[in-house]
PDB file of all heavy atoms in Angstrom:
ATOM      1  N   ARG A  15      37.684 -11.272   4.447  1.00  0.00           N
ATOM      2  CA  ARG A  15      37.922 -10.260   5.623  1.00  0.00           C
ATOM      3  C   ARG A  15      36.669 -10.287   6.467  1.00  0.00           C
ATOM      4  O   ARG A  15      36.677  -9.987   7.707  1.00  0.00           O
ATOM      5  CB  ARG A  15      38.384  -9.060   5.153  1.00  0.00           C
ATOM      6  CG  ARG A  15      39.549  -8.590   6.064  1.00  0.00           C
ATOM      7  CD  ARG A  15      40.033  -7.235   5.439  1.00  0.00           C
ATOM      8  NE  ARG A  15      39.066  -6.357   4.867  1.00  0.00           N
ATOM      9  CZ  ARG A  15      39.300  -6.027   3.540  1.00  0.00           C
ATOM     10  NH1 ARG A  15      40.437  -6.322   2.817  1.00  0.00           N
ATOM     11  NH2 ARG A  15      38.419  -5.164   3.019  1.00  0.00           N
ATOM     12  N   ASN A  16      35.536 -10.246   5.813  1.00  0.00           N
ATOM     13  CA  ASN A  16      34.248 -10.037   6.489  1.00  0.00           C
ATOM     14  C   ASN A  16      33.476 -11.385   6.521  1.00  0.00           C
ATOM     15  O   ASN A  16      32.350 -11.384   5.978  1.00  0.00           O
ATOM     16  CB  ASN A  16      33.386  -8.973   5.835  1.00  0.00           C
ATOM     17  CG  ASN A  16      34.196  -7.638   5.870  1.00  0.00           C
ATOM     18  OD1 ASN A  16      34.374  -7.090   6.866  1.00  0.00           O
ATOM     19  ND2 ASN A  16      34.701  -7.298   4.692  1.00  0.00           N
ATOM     20  N   GLU A 304      30.845   0.917   8.235  1.00  0.00           N
ATOM     21  CA  GLU A 304      32.207   0.317   8.080  1.00  0.00           C
ATOM     22  C   GLU A 304      32.702   0.404   6.633  1.00  0.00           C
ATOM     23  O   GLU A 304      33.809   0.670   6.241  1.00  0.00           O
ATOM     24  CB  GLU A 304      32.230  -1.064   8.535  1.00  0.00           C
ATOM     25  CG  GLU A 304      33.579  -1.587   8.806  1.00  0.00           C
ATOM     26  CD  GLU A 304      33.732  -3.060   8.942  1.00  0.00           C
ATOM     27  OE1 GLU A 304      32.847  -3.746   8.461  1.00  0.00           O
ATOM     28  OE2 GLU A 304      34.710  -3.621   9.331  1.00  0.00           O
ATOM     29  N   ARG A 307      33.575   3.931   5.396  1.00  0.00           N
ATOM     30  CA  ARG A 307      34.949   4.279   5.868  1.00  0.00           C
ATOM     31  C   ARG A 307      36.069   3.547   5.135  1.00  0.00           C
ATOM     32  O   ARG A 307      36.922   4.145   4.608  1.00  0.00           O
ATOM     33  CB  ARG A 307      35.149   3.694   7.300  1.00  0.00           C
ATOM     34  CG  ARG A 307      35.810   4.830   8.247  1.00  0.00           C
ATOM     35  CD  ARG A 307      35.921   4.204   9.633  1.00  0.00           C
ATOM     36  NE  ARG A 307      36.713   3.217   9.727  1.00  0.00           N
ATOM     37  CZ  ARG A 307      38.071   3.105   9.951  1.00  0.00           C
ATOM     38  NH1 ARG A 307      38.672   4.293  10.016  1.00  0.00           N
ATOM     39  NH2 ARG A 307      38.718   1.911   9.927  1.00  0.00           N
ATOM     40  N   GLY A 316      44.203   6.745  -3.401  1.00  0.00           N
ATOM     41  CA  GLY A 316      44.329   6.821  -4.890  1.00  0.00           C
ATOM     42  C   GLY A 316      43.457   5.864  -5.753  1.00  0.00           C
ATOM     43  O   GLY A 316      43.605   5.906  -6.960  1.00  0.00           O
TER      44      GLY A 316
ATOM     45  N   ARG B  89      46.374  11.842  -5.860  1.00  0.00           N
ATOM     46  CA  ARG B  89      46.636  11.038  -4.583  1.00  0.00           C
ATOM     47  C   ARG B  89      47.470   9.747  -4.871  1.00  0.00           C
ATOM     48  O   ARG B  89      48.272   9.391  -4.098  1.00  0.00           O
ATOM     49  CB  ARG B  89      45.320  10.755  -4.031  1.00  0.00           C
ATOM     50  CG  ARG B  89      44.549  11.857  -3.669  1.00  0.00           C
ATOM     51  CD  ARG B  89      43.449  11.449  -2.713  1.00  0.00           C
ATOM     52  NE  ARG B  89      42.249  10.673  -3.206  1.00  0.00           N
ATOM     53  CZ  ARG B  89      41.120  11.271  -3.919  1.00  0.00           C
ATOM     54  NH1 ARG B  89      41.131  12.526  -3.849  1.00  0.00           N
ATOM     55  NH2 ARG B  89      40.349  10.469  -4.500  1.00  0.00           N
ATOM     56  N   ARG B  90      47.151   9.062  -5.914  1.00  0.00           N
ATOM     57  CA  ARG B  90      47.746   7.844  -6.308  1.00  0.00           C
ATOM     58  C   ARG B  90      49.241   7.955  -6.502  1.00  0.00           C
ATOM     59  O   ARG B  90      50.024   7.131  -6.102  1.00  0.00           O
ATOM     60  CB  ARG B  90      47.023   7.203  -7.368  1.00  0.00           C
ATOM     61  CG  ARG B  90      47.525   5.892  -7.742  1.00  0.00           C
ATOM     62  CD  ARG B  90      46.801   5.313  -9.005  1.00  0.00           C
ATOM     63  NE  ARG B  90      45.355   5.059  -8.780  1.00  0.00           N
ATOM     64  CZ  ARG B  90      44.692   4.504  -9.702  1.00  0.00           C
ATOM     65  NH1 ARG B  90      45.132   4.027 -10.995  1.00  0.00           N
ATOM     66  NH2 ARG B  90      43.352   4.200  -9.542  1.00  0.00           N
ATOM     67  N   ASN B 101      43.416   5.209  10.179  1.00  0.00           N
ATOM     68  CA  ASN B 101      42.666   4.756   9.133  1.00  0.00           C
ATOM     69  C   ASN B 101      43.172   3.569   8.375  1.00  0.00           C
ATOM     70  O   ASN B 101      43.354   3.590   7.215  1.00  0.00           O
ATOM     71  CB  ASN B 101      42.350   5.888   8.009  1.00  0.00           C
ATOM     72  CG  ASN B 101      41.094   6.753   8.611  1.00  0.00           C
ATOM     73  OD1 ASN B 101      40.208   6.225   9.241  1.00  0.00           O
ATOM     74  ND2 ASN B 101      41.147   7.973   8.249  1.00  0.00           N
ATOM     75  N   ARG B 105      40.924  -5.911  10.224  1.00  0.00           N
ATOM     76  CA  ARG B 105      40.922  -7.439   9.916  1.00  0.00           C
ATOM     77  C   ARG B 105      41.848  -7.630   8.760  1.00  0.00           C
ATOM     78  O   ARG B 105      41.548  -8.623   7.922  1.00  0.00           O
ATOM     79  CB  ARG B 105      39.578  -7.995   9.686  1.00  0.00           C
ATOM     80  CG  ARG B 105      38.627  -7.888  10.958  1.00  0.00           C
ATOM     81  CD  ARG B 105      37.330  -8.471  10.611  1.00  0.00           C
ATOM     82  NE  ARG B 105      36.579  -7.861   9.561  1.00  0.00           N
ATOM     83  CZ  ARG B 105      35.888  -6.823   9.894  1.00  0.00           C
ATOM     84  NH1 ARG B 105      35.817  -6.267  11.151  1.00  0.00           N
ATOM     85  NH2 ARG B 105      35.058  -6.303   8.864  1.00  0.00           N
ATOM     86  N   THR B 106      42.672  -6.727   8.433  1.00  0.00           N
ATOM     87  CA  THR B 106      43.574  -6.858   7.176  1.00  0.00           C
ATOM     88  C   THR B 106      45.012  -6.667   7.665  1.00  0.00           C
ATOM     89  O   THR B 106      45.359  -5.824   8.480  1.00  0.00           O
ATOM     90  CB  THR B 106      43.139  -5.806   6.181  1.00  0.00           C
ATOM     91  OG1 THR B 106      41.897  -5.741   5.973  1.00  0.00           O
ATOM     92  CG2 THR B 106      44.112  -5.868   4.983  1.00  0.00           C
TER      93      THR B 106
END
Side-chain angles (χ1 to χ4, degrees):
Chain A
R15 229 178 24 239
N16 303 290
E304 196 200 15
R307 222 179 64 89
Chain B
R89 292 194 291 271
R90 184 183 291 187
N101 276 332
R105 300 183 294 279
T106 304

